[in-house]
Amino acid sequence: MIRHIVLLTWTAEATDEQKAAVAEGLSALPGQIPQLGEYIVGHDLALAEGTADFAIVAEFASVADFETYRDHPAHQQVIAERIKPILAGRLGAQIEL
Amino acid sequence: MIRHIVLLTWTAEATDEQKAAVAEGLSALPGQIPQLGEYIVGHDLALAEGTADFAIVAEFASVADFETYRDHPAHQQVIAERIKPILAGRLGAQIEL
């Protein structure tokens, strides 16, 4: 089992509407990508200084399933149309359970 | 429900032994901190360029439980003795489920 973790930081100009559109776009992916297991996305609660703005935690049965998700056109569309326009920084990791 | 996500990057000098000691130290925390729910820690699989080196995903029933974990002496000891000596970078976020 693979856990894929991504933390995103938005530009200062990003609007609440644009940030909400990212969450909405990603939340539609489980219905479009059957290889995607448990999928958690959400806005940072701002409990601490210096945190990222958005987090994604996704579970996959295998590295191949992760790669299917990573390269899936529906995922790439959310990245290109909703994430990239407001993206300031990205850090990710994949770990094995 | 709160999900706490942290990505860590190690210094170039960090040894495999030191990295393994972080995973071992953190993995002992669920037995010491009852407020800690599902707890996933692991080394990055290096499937992509530019990833972090280590990931932590922790589940809490409330922000108060997260804060108990964050400030718990057993957690602070792992941070001070095992993480800080090899830490190059840290990014975190807390999201609500």
Side-chain angles (χ1 to χ4, degrees):
Chain A
M1 195 81 86
I2 302 292
R3 201 67 69 115
H4 166 65
I5 299 140
V6 177
L7 295 175
L8 303 175
T9 305
W10 304 137
T11 62
E13 295 76 27
T15 67
D16 287 348
E17 207 167 50
Q18 287 177 304
K19 297 173 192 175
V22 170
E24 187 194 44
L26 292 174
S27 296
L29 295 182
Q32 300 171 273
I33 309 175
Q35 289 83 358
L36 187 45
E38 191 192 34
Y39 195 56
I40 295 159
V41 303
H43 306 282
D44 180 58
L45 297 171
L47 299 178
E49 288 288 312
T51 51
D53 296 315
F54 195 85
I56 302 161
V57 181
E59 195 180 80
F60 300 95
S62 65
V63 172
D65 281 359
F66 158 64
E67 290 170 343
T68 298
Y69 158 81
R70 184 191 63 194
D71 301 334
H72 194 285
H75 182 213
Q76 287 298 323
Q77 189 178 2
V78 176
I79 293 172
E81 295 180 1
R82 303 190 184 206
I83 293 177
K84 286 240 168 108
I86 61 169
L87 188 64
R90 178 194 185 280
L91 188 62
Q94 291 80 39
I95 63 175
E96 194 147 20
L97 301 191
Chain B
M1 194 82 83
I2 303 291
R3 200 69 68 115
H4 167 64
I5 298 140
V6 177
L7 295 175
L8 304 175
T9 306
W10 304 136
T11 62
E13 296 74 28
T15 67
D16 287 347
E17 207 167 50
Q18 286 177 304
K19 298 173 191 175
V22 171
E24 188 194 44
L26 292 174
S27 297
L29 295 182
Q32 300 170 275
I33 309 175
Q35 289 84 357
L36 186 45
E38 190 193 36
Y39 194 56
I40 295 160
V41 303
H43 305 283
D44 179 58
L45 296 171
L47 300 178
E49 289 288 312
T51 51
D53 295 316
F54 195 86
I56 301 161
V57 181
E59 196 179 80
F60 300 95
S62 66
V63 172
D65 281 359
F66 158 65
E67 290 170 343
T68 298
Y69 158 81
R70 184 192 62 194
D71 301 334
H72 194 286
H75 182 212
Q76 288 298 323
Q77 190 178 1
V78 175
I79 293 171
E81 295 179 2
R82 303 190 185 206
I83 293 178
K84 286 245 169 101
I86 61 169
L87 188 65
R90 178 193 186 281
L91 188 63
Q94 291 79 39
I95 62 176
E96 193 146 21
L97 301 190

